[in-house]
Each structure stands twice: as C-alpha cells, then as structure tokens.
Amino acid sequence: MLRTTLAGLRLHTSRYVTTALAILLGVMFVSGTMVFADTLEADYESSVMGSATSVDAIATPEEPEVDPQAGPQPPAVLGEQDLERIQDLPEVAEADGRVEGQAVLLDSDGRAYGMTPPAAMSLGETSRFSASEGTLPSGGNEIALATSTATETGFEVGDTVTVLDPDQEERDFTVTGLVELGIDQAYSFGGAMVMDRDTAEEMTGATGYVEVNAIAAEGHTDQEVADAVSAVLAGSTEVQTGEEFGLDMAESSGADTEMLRTALLLFAFIAMFVAAIVIYNTFAIVIAQRQREMALLRCVGAKRGQVFGSVLAESSVVGLVSSVLGVLAGIGIGTLGAQFGGGLVGNTSDSIALVVTPTAVLSGLLVGTVVTVLSALVPALRAMRVSPLAALRTSATSGGLDKRTGWLRTAVGLAAFAVSALMVALTFELDTSETVPVIVTSAALIAFVGVVVLGPLLVRGIVHVAGLVLRRIGVASRLAVDNSTRNPRRAATAMIALTVGATLITGYSVVSSSLETTMNNMFEEQFPVDYQISSQFAMDEPTGGEPAEDGDGEDADDGMPDTETVPEGVQSALSSSPVVEQIMSQRTEYIDDQDVHLMVNTYIGADLATDMSSDLVSGDLEDMGPGRVALSESYAEGHTAGDTYTLPTEDGDRELEVAAVAEDMGQLSGVVLDPQDFEQTFPEQTGDDMVFVRGTQDADPSELRTAVNDAVEEHPTVQVTSMAETKNQFSDMLDIAFYTIAAMLALAILIAVFGISNTMALSVLERTRESALLRALGLSRAQLQRMLSVEAVLLCLIGGFIGITLGVVFGWAAAASALPNMILAVPFAQIGLFVAVAVVAGLLASLMPARRAARTSITGALAGE
C-alpha cells in the first residue's frame, strides 16, 4: 500500500502543485514571523545587556508617585554626598554619576529641534554608555549626539551645532562622536546630547545625578557591590547589578517585539486558515476524481483503513515537503524583515545577527503538516466509505461532492446569518468598550459559517443573476454560466478562501477610511485654523536644582509643566500681514489646591461658538461671557448648563454660572473662562501659551507660510505647526498602515487565487472528454479558453462580492466601536480596485488550465476513457 501511495503521488504530482504553494506561503509567514521577532529580541537583549553589564552596579533614585492631574514632576536625583559615599566603599573600585537636564538644540534651519528640548547630559568617567562613533566630549566646546538624534537632524561627526543656554543665548559646539543610548523611549523620542559635566550643568542648570554607575574592586562580586551601595544610600533608591538592570531593560524592550510578533502571527493564522480551505478543496476534488482507483484497490484486497491511511499518507508527504520549503523561505523572509523592519519597534542597529530557534523551525513544520493532514481528513473518510462496486459503476466525476442543498443545511445557514446580524445590531446599542470588538469578531466568524453552509445556494443565486447578462454575450459565456452551477458546492468551496481575504481587506479599508474621515472632521472642528504657534514644552525646574523662575519672576514651584509664552512680537508681526485674517490666542493656568487639580483656559480674540466649536452635552457657547464658564465633560462633575460652578482661587472661591458643557476630545478642554474673568483671576498670567492663525480666504498658502515663518524668525524656540500638514501627516500615517496591512492580507488573497487555479485545473482535467466534444462540435480554441476564463472570473467575483459585502458590514461595526461618533466612510475607489483585482485574479487562475484544455488533442481525448 505504501508503494501504491508513493506511485500515486508521482503520478498526480501536478495536481498538488498549487496546494503545495499554498502550504509553503502559510508556513513561510509563520516561520518568518518567529525568526523576525526572535532576531530583533536577541539584538535588543544583546545591545541592552552589553551596555548594562559594562558596569557592576547601577543606582537610580526611585521616581515619586505621579498624579496624572498634577502634571509631570522633575526627576529625582542622587546628591554629591551620595556619590562620595559610594566611591569610598571598599567594594567599589570606581564610580561616577550622570548629570541630566534639558537644553534647546537648533536644527540646520536654526529652529528648535523637537516639541520638547532634548536631554543634555554628562556621562562621567565611569558610565555604561560609550561612543559608538568618534569620541566623547572632553572640552567646553565639544558635544556628542545620540545616534537617533543625529539621524533625525542629519548632523554628523565633525559638524558644528548650536545649543541655547538658559538665557537663550546661542553657543556653538563641535560634534566629536555619536552615542548609542539604547531603547529608552525618552531619548529616542525627545533626543539627547552629551557634554562634559561643567558644560552640562552650565547649559541646563541641573545638579545631582539621575544615575550612578559603579565598578567592583578586585575580589568583590557585582552582587556584593550592589548590596554595599544599597546599604550606604538612604532614602528611596533602587540598586541593581548590571545584569539585573539589563534584564529588566531587555524585558521592557521585548514588549514591543512580542506585540509585533502577536500581530504578525495573527496574519499568519489567516494565511493558514485560507490555505486549509484550499487544501481541503483540492483533496476533496482529487479523491472524488479517483473513485475508480480507490474502488479498484478495494477490489484487489485493500481494506477501508488502508485506503484511509493512503490518503492521509499522501497529505502528510505533501504537507511535510511543502512545510520544509516554507520554513526555508520563512528564514529568508525573517532575515529581510529584521534587517529592514527593525525600525517598527525602534531598532537602530546597522547589522543584526540572525537567530533561528528550533521553535521557529519546528512550529513551521508542525503547523504546515498538521493543517494539511486535518484538511485531508474529511476527503479521506469519504474515500474510505465509497462502495467498490458503486464506484466502479460511476464515471470519474466528483461524486464525492454532493450537489444538493438540503433544508437542514439551509436552516443552519440562515440561522448563522440571523445570529450574526443580531450581534452586529447589539454593538450599536452598547457603549464603546473592550467587549464590542470581540462581539464584532465573533459575528464575523459566525457569518463565515453561514457563507460556508449556504455557499452552494449563494453561488446559484449570484450566477443566475449574472447569467441574465452573460448568456446574451456569446456561446462561451453561456457555457461558463452552466458550468459554474453544475457543481455549486465545489464552486462555493473554491471561492470561500477568496471571500475571507476580501472580507478582511474590505473591512479594514472601511475602518481606515472611516477613521480618517472622522479624525479629519475632528481636526476641522478642533483646529479651524491654518497655523498653531507655541513654544517648546519643558519642565519648570532643572533636575536637582532650585525652583526656576517663571517668565514673571515668580518661583514656578507648582510642579506643573511649563511652556514659555509666545513672544508678543510674533502677534505684532502677524497682525501687519495682509494675508492674515484672524489671530486668536490661548492662555492656560493650573490650579493645584490639595485634592483639586484644574486646568483653566481662556481664548482671546475668539468667538467660542464659531471659532472653537465643540460638540455640547448641554448649554450653548453663545451664552458665554463675564461671570460664566464652559466646562469639558470630564471637569463638569455632574454640572449642567445653568448650574453654579465654584472655582477655587488664591483669593477664595469664585462662583460662576455654567454656560455650556462640551464633550471631551473637543477644542474646549478643562475650565474655560471669559478673558475678563481670567485676567481678574490670574492677573500675573499675561503671556499667550498658544497662538492660532487663520489666513484670509483668498490667501496664497505659500505667502501665508512665509508670513508666519517671518514672524517667528527671531524666536528659534517657537514651534510652528501647520494644521494642514498635520492632517496630511495623519492621513499619510493611516495610508502607510493600511497598505502595510493590506500587503499582509494580500498573501491570503494570493493563496486563494492558487486555490481557484487548482480547482479550475482539476475541473478541466475532469472534463477532458467534454471539452474535446465541444471542440468537435465546433467550439474554437479561443472560445474554449474564453469559457474557462469567464468561469474563473465568475468564481472570483462571487467570492469578492460576498467578501466585500461582509467587509463593509463588519468594518462599519468595528469602526463604530473604535471611536464614538464615528463617521462611516465606504472607500468606493478601493472597493472598485478590489473588484478589478478579482477579475485579474480570475483571468490569471484560468490561464494555465485554459491553455492546457485548448491544446488537448480532440481525437486523443475522445478515444480515451
């Protein structure tokens, strides 16, 4: 029986080619994902551990508990006496600390780099960081940049950069080196630069150490050093060995990698699910076509179990060989992904050592083989149950694929669609929560069950409607319509794989398009201006120093974030420009009174009802004026329009009438006062935190941009944000995400096309005599090829049409659950593209089978059995 099975595989190899390709692609995604993630994770661990284990003990002050409403607090530091006590320990050979603050770095255009000033630090003689290129600074006019900062700014070793001192005076430095600061998000996002200690303190005003690194004395272990350092440091300080510190950092860095691994494995699951459908369909057709062969084996003595085992053996061989090839391809894909896709999770390494674990290899082999065997299980059972005599009396047709659709099957399918529809309706009755996406996903899965069960009926119905037009086109199209309904179950099984892919891509495109439309609408409502001008956001105190003075000379010791006000000269320059129609400004003050933490805003030069419109919970912004207040919903605490709101101030409580309560996420946030009330409540706050600029209706965009840039030219720390550019960047980001995910889902589409191609090829093989008879009756080769092409296109269009319909429904439900007040947007252009892709896919799927059928000898086919 084994020899018979192997001989059958050799004889029918061509029938399994597309099945093998489907398995290969699915396994490639599984193994490639694991190799990619394992390689990135190992690279992170290596870089983190390499820097951390270069020292033996690391002491860091524990950060105080953060009050989200009170704003960020300055980081805790260790003092000079703490460092001296560590250096005096007999277990410590040498130790030094890292001083860190913030300083403004100017980019090549002379503007402040980043929304927040980058970190400016001194590493000390003993540090876990070192120069990855060049050298560390040794003098007051030298500087080193973090590699991420150098990449973003374009500065290189040898360049001259400008940094502003605390008095906003420019000071030039020569870049002597680049420093790899690892995975710390604060440095990769905000940027960092390294100076010598005196210069760092001078440029930032920082004192104290945010971290102390120690090297063990001879004869002492790193744990002994850590214990000794911990013993001499009083207060809240965490001391770890270099290895412990590195492991913690590596674990935190691995979170992003694991998230990416999970997301990619989800796409791999989709690919394998579609591949399983293709495998099942292939084996079902092949076994149905080999009924006589199976019957002959039974007649010569083969038992049912041997026939069953023969089919499973075939599937095992096909699955194993395809999985081996898939694993090899996956290793290559994982290597490319690690080299070029590491930036997705912040990796900046130029070269990465490939990591191929036994788990990645065995997982691919196991998944591919098991999925193949399970997919062949039902066809194998059918082969085992065929009566030898009955099979010998039937023709070599797909009798194993029943054409009937019974009432029970119909009832189950309709029930699945009904349950799915009810679940989708339920999502619109629930508030946005974590359970809604789960309900939407479950509803989609149940709907797929309905498609599988009712597939034959759907195929018949859609082909019947399409046939009203196709039957009028010509003989080839008429024959294609009849062929499509000849075995609707086979057609349904072939197109379901494409339906899954089309549903996923359409659903995601609806979510993406709806999200973009909704966010653009929110941009229009929240920022109905052309430009936003503000200063860099920074902490109000230098690290470890005395409280800094704010712009009015008062100590800013409230622990609140401090943003320098926009210089008055900016507004003066803007107001004189003929292309500027309106200038509005926002002033903000924070109230921190025991358990009360409030953000109080006012808008000068703006009509709240028109210029700062927001969706309202109650009231009307037209009623705003002196003695009245508008509240965002999270600050309302049950207040509605007409209620009395008590605002605590330094001069006592102030009672105001609530004019309106606005929804969160709108332009208005916190407590909004009339400018007159704000001036009376906070007389010391005379600067504008933010300025909004709206151009005239006929203003040329380039002239408006020039006017804004000219107004801020003498103020390098002022940040200019184009709202149009911000919206475009957001749209570009969504487009990148969409095309990235669509490319991954396209793998499922590709596998589905292989399945349809295989179905067509097997169908052509089954109908060899029929095709020859049609040729003998006068059907030309071109007509025969056109018949098969129309048949394949019909299958693809049916699968695509059902998938697009389900995708729109479930994409709509998913989008509504993602954001409140979601605006449904159906991307008709993208859906049209999907239809075009389905047509092309059908033509490609029919290409080889059609050519084979057209080239078959008429007399040879009619003479054969």
Side-chain angles (χ1 to χ4, degrees):
M1 199 66 192
L2 178 60
R3 288 196 301 270
T4 303
T5 301
L6 295 177
L9 276 172
R10 289 193 299 270
L11 181 64
H12 304 297
T13 299
S14 60
R15 302 186 180 187
Y16 294 117
V17 170
T18 51
T19 301
L21 285 173
I23 302 167
L24 186 152
L25 290 174
V27 172
M28 178 189 72
F29 212 150
V30 173
S31 296
T33 294
M34 301 190 73
V35 170
F36 170 61
D38 290 339
T39 299
L40 284 187
E41 189 173 350
D43 182 68
Y44 286 159
E45 290 180 357
S46 175
S47 61
V48 171
M49 294 296 291
S51 65
T53 55
S54 62
V55 295
D56 297 308
I58 300 173
T60 54
E62 292 184 359
E63 296 294 337
E65 292 186 7
V66 177
D67 185 340
Q69 291 183 310
Q73 300 289 333
V77 295
L78 297 172
E80 191 67 38
Q81 292 182 346
D82 295 322
L83 176 60
E84 291 175 356
R85 284 196 291 268
I86 295 173
Q87 291 172 333
D88 292 339
L89 289 170
E91 293 88 352
V92 175
E94 55 183 278
D96 209 338
R98 186 169 85 242
V99 176
E100 185 176 315
Q102 287 182 318
V104 177
L105 172 68
L106 302 186
D107 60 21
S108 56
D109 295 325
R111 307 300 307 168
Y113 163 72
M115 292 300 294
T116 61
M121 65 179 72
S122 166
L123 296 181
E125 295 183 2
T126 303
S127 174
R128 60 188 178 91
F129 297 120
S130 60
S132 58
E133 181 179 339
T135 61
L136 294 178
S138 58
N141 62 346
E142 295 180 344
I143 195 172
L145 300 178
T147 52
S148 59
T149 305
T151 300
E152 291 181 10
T153 58
F155 291 130
E156 299 176 348
V157 175
D159 289 347
T160 299
V161 300
T162 302
V163 181
L164 300 185
D165 64 17
D167 296 325
Q168 303 298 294
E169 296 293 332
E170 296 184 359
R171 183 167 168 178
D172 291 337
F173 293 86
T174 300
V175 179
T176 61
L178 303 180
V179 180
E180 178 58 64
L181 295 179
I183 59 172
D184 194 315
Q185 294 294 325
Y187 300 139
S188 59
F189 174 76
M193 45 193 172
V194 179
M195 309 168 179
D196 64 30
R197 178 173 176 177
D198 292 339
T199 306
E201 291 180 346
E202 178 185 347
M203 296 297 291
T204 66
T207 58
Y209 304 104
V210 296
E211 180 179 302
V212 172
N213 300 150
I215 301 293
E218 186 175 354
H220 294 280
T221 65
D222 54 357
Q223 189 60 57
E224 289 174 344
V225 176
D227 293 340
V229 172
S230 180
V232 300
L233 292 180
S236 300
T237 304
E238 182 177 6
V239 182
Q240 296 175 287
T241 65
E243 184 176 2
E244 291 172 342
F245 186 90
L247 288 173
D248 286 348
M249 290 287 287
E251 183 178 353
S252 65
S253 72
D256 290 337
T257 306
E258 286 302 315
M259 185 179 301
L260 184 60
R261 183 201 300 266
T262 302
L264 291 176
L265 284 176
L266 175 62
F267 292 110
F269 170 79
I270 294 170
M272 288 307 303
F273 175 72
V274 175
I277 297 174
V278 172
I279 297 165
Y280 166 78
N281 198 36
T282 300
F283 274 95
I285 296 173
V286 168
I287 297 304
Q289 291 176 344
R290 294 168 57 192
Q291 286 182 5
R292 290 197 174 200
E293 177 185 326
M294 299 295 179
L296 182 59
L297 289 173
R298 293 290 311 283
C299 287
V300 297
K303 298 180 180 179
R304 291 179 183 269
Q306 288 177 307
V307 174
F308 178 77
S310 174
V311 175
L312 290 188
E314 283 189 25
S315 65
S316 299
V317 173
V318 172
L320 183 59
V321 172
S322 304
S323 298
V324 170
L325 297 176
V327 168
L328 294 176
I331 293 174
I333 292 295
T335 304
L336 292 175
Q339 291 291 340
F340 300 105
L344 293 172
V345 285
N347 181 35
T348 58
S349 299
D350 293 329
S351 60
I352 300 178
L354 180 66
V355 176
V356 181
T357 63
T359 302
V361 175
L362 294 177
S363 295
L365 294 176
L366 187 64
V367 168
T369 305
V370 169
V371 167
T372 305
V373 172
L374 291 178
S375 300
L377 196 59
V378 173
L381 290 172
R382 286 177 180 168
M384 179 182 71
R385 293 171 181 172
V386 172
S387 170
L389 293 179
L392 286 172
R393 285 195 298 268
T394 60
S395 61
T397 60
S398 54
L401 292 177
D402 193 2
K403 302 177 184 179
R404 297 171 298 174
T405 303
W407 65 268
L408 180 60
R409 188 184 185 94
T410 303
V412 171
L414 292 175
F417 280 131
V419 171
S420 179
L422 289 174
M423 294 177 70
V424 170
L426 178 64
T427 62
F428 293 97
E429 300 297 327
L430 298 175
D431 294 331
T432 302
S433 65
E434 296 179 356
T435 60
V436 172
V438 176
I439 296 176
V440 173
T441 304
S442 302
L445 293 176
I446 294 174
F448 280 133
V449 172
V451 172
V452 172
V453 174
L454 290 181
L457 285 179
L458 293 173
V459 168
R460 286 176 179 171
I462 296 175
V463 170
H464 177 73
V465 174
L468 297 177
V469 177
L470 291 176
R471 290 180 184 277
R472 300 175 182 272
I473 296 177
V475 174
S477 298
R478 190 180 310 129
L479 290 172
V481 171
D482 292 336
N483 288 336
S484 298
T485 56
R486 176 183 297 180
N487 198 325
R489 183 170 296 185
R490 174 193 293 172
T493 308
M495 64 87 180
I496 189 63
L498 186 61
T499 299
V500 173
T503 300
L504 292 170
I505 290 185
T506 304
Y508 182 72
S509 67
V510 169
V511 172
S512 179
S513 181
S514 299
L515 181 61
E516 183 173 354
T517 301
T518 303
M519 295 305 294
N520 283 337
N521 185 68
M522 292 175 64
F523 270 119
E524 293 292 341
E525 289 184 356
Q526 297 182 26
F527 306 105
V529 295
D530 296 305
Y531 286 90
Q532 175 182 295
I533 300 175
S534 61
S535 288
Q536 277 190 323
F537 179 88
M539 292 304 304
D540 62 355
E541 293 185 39
T543 303
E546 294 298 322
E549 292 186 345
D550 63 17
D552 300 310
E554 298 294 333
D555 285 347
D557 58 358
D558 57 3
M560 289 298 176
D562 178 49
T563 303
E564 294 292 333
T565 58
V566 178
E568 293 182 3
V570 173
Q571 287 205 46
S572 300
L574 289 170
S575 60
S576 62
S577 173
V579 295
V580 175
E581 177 181 351
Q582 186 179 12
I583 302 172
M584 301 169 284
S585 60
Q586 174 183 337
R587 295 182 182 177
T588 303
E589 187 58 83
Y590 295 92
I591 295 178
D592 186 14
D593 182 15
Q594 295 179 352
D595 295 332
V596 178
H597 307 285
L598 300 175
M599 179 177 65
V600 184
N601 296 312
T602 191
Y603 298 91
I604 301 172
D607 181 351
L608 296 184
T610 56
D611 298 326
M612 301 291 172
S613 59
S614 298
D615 292 328
L616 300 180
V617 177
S618 65
D620 192 340
L621 291 174
E622 292 282 2
D623 297 333
M624 274 294 292
R628 297 188 175 184
V629 65
L631 305 170
S632 59
E633 193 171 7
S634 59
Y635 278 73
E637 297 182 346
H639 289 85
T640 60
D643 292 347
T644 299
Y645 179 79
T646 302
L647 178 69
T649 69
E650 294 182 355
D651 299 327
D653 293 344
R654 182 168 186 174
E655 293 187 348
L656 302 163
E657 181 183 347
V658 178
V661 177
E663 291 184 358
D664 291 329
M665 301 292 292
Q667 173 64 44
L668 299 181
S669 59
V671 179
V672 181
L673 299 180
D674 181 81
Q676 180 178 324
D677 291 332
F678 189 91
E679 183 179 356
Q680 294 175 357
T681 306
F682 310 105
E684 74 286 350
Q685 181 63 284
T686 58
D688 297 323
D689 300 301
M690 203 168 293
V691 172
F692 303 100
V693 181
R694 180 184 290 131
T696 57
Q697 188 172 2
D698 58 348
D700 183 86
S702 61
E703 291 183 5
L704 181 60
R705 186 186 308 112
T706 299
V708 174
N709 289 336
D710 289 345
V712 302
E713 184 176 7
E714 297 181 359
H715 310 283
T717 60
V718 171
Q719 306 284 297
V720 176
T721 304
S722 167
M723 305 318 297
E725 291 176 1
T726 300
K727 287 187 286 187
N728 290 337
Q729 289 173 357
F730 178 79
S731 296
D732 291 343
M733 180 181 67
L734 285 180
D735 288 342
I736 291 173
F738 169 76
Y739 288 116
T740 300
I741 294 177
M744 295 180 186
L745 293 176
L747 182 63
I749 299 291
L750 181 61
I751 294 173
V753 172
F754 284 153
I756 292 176
S757 178
N758 206 30
T759 301
M760 290 298 303
L762 295 173
S763 177
V764 167
L765 183 64
E766 175 184 295
R767 295 181 296 176
T768 301
R769 295 191 67 187
E770 176 185 321
S771 298
L773 182 59
L774 289 173
R775 290 288 314 284
L777 293 175
L779 197 69
S780 67
R781 288 186 175 183
Q783 287 177 314
L784 181 62
Q785 288 179 314
R786 187 158 58 249
M787 178 191 76
L788 295 174
S789 296
V790 171
E791 188 176 338
V793 169
L794 264 176
L795 281 179
C796 289
L797 285 178
I798 293 170
F801 173 77
I802 296 174
I804 288 170
T805 303
L806 293 177
V808 170
V809 172
F810 294 113
W812 173 35
S817 69
L819 274 180
N821 304 319
M822 178 70 77
I823 300 174
L824 175 65
V826 179
F828 292 103
Q830 291 176 349
I831 290 176
L833 178 62
F834 298 158
V835 173
V837 168
V839 172
V840 173
L843 292 174
L844 292 176
S846 68
L847 195 60
M848 293 301 295
R851 291 185 63 184
R852 178 176 179 178
R855 292 180 178 180
T856 300
S857 169
I858 297 176
T859 56
L862 291 175
E865 193 275 326

